[in-house]
Structure formats: structure tokens, C-alpha cells
Amino acid sequence: MKLLISVIIAAALGYFLGSCNFSIISVKLIKGRDIRNMGSRNAGLTNTLRCAGKTCALITLLGDILKGIVAVALSRGFCGLINAGLDPGNDTHYIGYIAGLFAIIGHVFPIYYGFKGGKGVLVGVSTFLIVDIKVFIALIAIFAVILAITKYVSLASIIATAYCPIATLLMSWIVNDNSFGRSFLYMILSIPMSGIIIWMHRTNIERLMAGTENKFSFNTVDMSEK
């Protein structure tokens, strides 16, 4: 029963915090517009930077990272408080993946904004700051390398996201010296997180294949910021 309660709490915290979209909030407050009607119509960091400028983008970056961290931290704290770990050692590590998954779902389908949000990349990667910082570092490194080589934010996001379950398994099993069974469980829990984010990039994949995807540049920000 405690395990079920902790999962429900983690899912609820993750979803309702994830639904707070700082791209939509910042652009509405500062520009008086809806980011979902601008540029690519995606309520995410890249579109915010391109269409609303650096101030809105910074707020989006910090806010979307923070909500993932808070969702995981609160969920794990509650889980530990009621002793709902997976073993007598009260391991609450698993609950971070549950909170992270629902934070992504909330970001993609926010209850506060008609279930129309962003693609979940920032929220997804931010949860690993608490879940496993080694995985976070690995994903950021992969993202940075791919972005530097190709200049495609979407491609870098997709490749880093696809690697997430593998990084989760390897870091837990080999680096953190957990059992293979537990590490495999963590990997399984990370798969739907990655799957949702990659699925949300399906139009980007089509544009990448067609050669029409926009490359990233700081020079593409809205002129109102200059």
C-alpha cells in the first residue's frame, strides 16, 4: 500500500509541476503573446529563444529545469518519509523515474494550457540531476557534441534522449555498482521517458530527413531583443 501511495504521489507531483510551462508563462508576461502561435509553435526553449528572445529563453531554461528537480526531490522525500523503498534499505531511487516521467507528460500535455505544451527535453534531462547526475552529465555531453557538429538542436536532443536508457543501465550497474536487476529496472523506467520525448520530435525527424530543419544560431533571436 505504501508503495502504491508513493507512486500516486510522485505521478501527481510530477504531472502538476510539469504542467507549469515557463515558455508559455514568460512569453505571455513579457511579450503578451502565446509562444504556441509563434515560429514552430512549440512551447520549448529553442522556439522561445528564436521568437521571444534571450530573456524569455533564460526564464524558460531555469523554470523548466527547476520543476523537474523539484518534482523528483519532493517525490523521493515523501517516499522516504513513509518508508516506501524497494528493500529494507529503503531505496527510493526508483521513485525519481516515476516523478520524471509524469513531469514530462505534464510538460507535453499540460492541464493548465489545454494539454498543448512542449517536447519535454529540458524537463527530462533535469530530473537526472537528482536521479543520477552521472547520467545527466553523459546526456549533456552527447547533446553538446552533436549540436556542435551538426547545429541541429532537434537531432542532438533525439540522439541524447535515445542514449538515455543505455546510460541509465551502464551508470547504475557499472559505475554505481548496483545489481544488474536493479539497474535493469531503472533502465526500463527510463524507456517511456525517452520514448515520449522522441515521439514529440516526429515532425523534426521528418524535416531532418527532408533537409528542411532549421539549424541553431544565437543570431536567430527576435530583433526586439537587440
Side-chain angles (χ1 to χ4, degrees):
M1 181 59 70
K2 288 182 178 180
L3 181 62
L4 178 61
I5 291 174
S6 66
V7 169
I8 292 173
I9 293 296
L13 281 171
Y15 180 74
F16 288 110
L17 284 172
S19 289
C20 298
N21 189 300
F22 286 88
S23 174
I24 297 174
I25 294 170
S26 63
V27 175
K28 186 67 175 178
L29 290 176
I30 295 174
K31 301 291 184 180
R33 300 181 63 186
D34 188 339
I35 188 63
R36 295 169 297 177
N37 295 325
M38 302 167 66
S40 68
R41 302 180 184 273
N42 177 53
L45 178 62
T46 303
N47 194 43
T48 301
L49 177 61
R50 285 174 174 159
C51 299
K54 296 176 183 177
T55 300
C56 291
L58 180 60
I59 295 172
T60 299
L61 174 66
L62 296 177
D64 284 352
I65 287 176
L66 185 61
K67 70 184 181 184
I69 292 174
V70 171
V72 174
L74 287 179
S75 298
R76 288 187 64 178
F78 177 80
C79 185
L81 188 65
I82 65 173
N83 297 313
L86 289 177
D87 56 25
N90 199 35
D91 173 26
T92 61
H93 192 73
Y94 74 97
I95 208 67
Y97 294 95
I98 304 297
L101 170 61
F102 279 88
I104 293 171
I105 293 173
H107 183 82
V108 173
F109 305 109
I111 192 171
Y112 313 127
Y113 306 106
F115 303 99
K116 184 182 178 183
K119 296 181 180 178
V121 177
L122 266 180
V123 183
V125 73
S126 71
T127 62
F128 283 96
L129 278 168
I130 303 296
V131 172
D132 192 333
I133 195 168
K134 300 181 187 70
V135 174
F136 172 83
I137 293 171
L139 298 181
I140 290 296
I142 292 170
F143 175 87
V145 170
I146 300 300
L147 179 59
I149 293 172
T150 67
K151 306 300 181 185
Y152 288 118
V153 174
S154 57
L155 182 61
S157 299
I158 291 165
I159 292 176
T161 301
Y163 181 69
C164 180
I166 299 173
T168 298
L169 174 65
L170 295 179
M171 292 298 179
S172 178
W173 183 30
I174 297 176
V175 179
N176 298 337
D177 200 29
N178 290 316
S179 68
F180 178 79
R182 177 164 295 178
S183 301
F184 187 77
L185 170 63
Y186 298 156
M187 183 191 74
I188 293 299
L189 290 173
S190 72
I191 288 175
M193 297 170 67
S194 297
I196 292 172
I197 293 172
I198 293 174
W199 180 75
M200 288 302 296
H201 281 81
R202 60 196 183 280
T203 56
N204 300 90
I205 294 173
E206 292 174 359
R207 289 195 296 268
L208 284 166
M209 294 177 67
T212 58
E213 180 74 328
N214 292 322
K215 290 189 175 183
F216 176 78
S217 171
F218 279 106
N219 295 324
T220 59
V221 299
D222 185 26
M223 291 298 292
S224 63
E225 284 289 296
K226 297 182 179 179

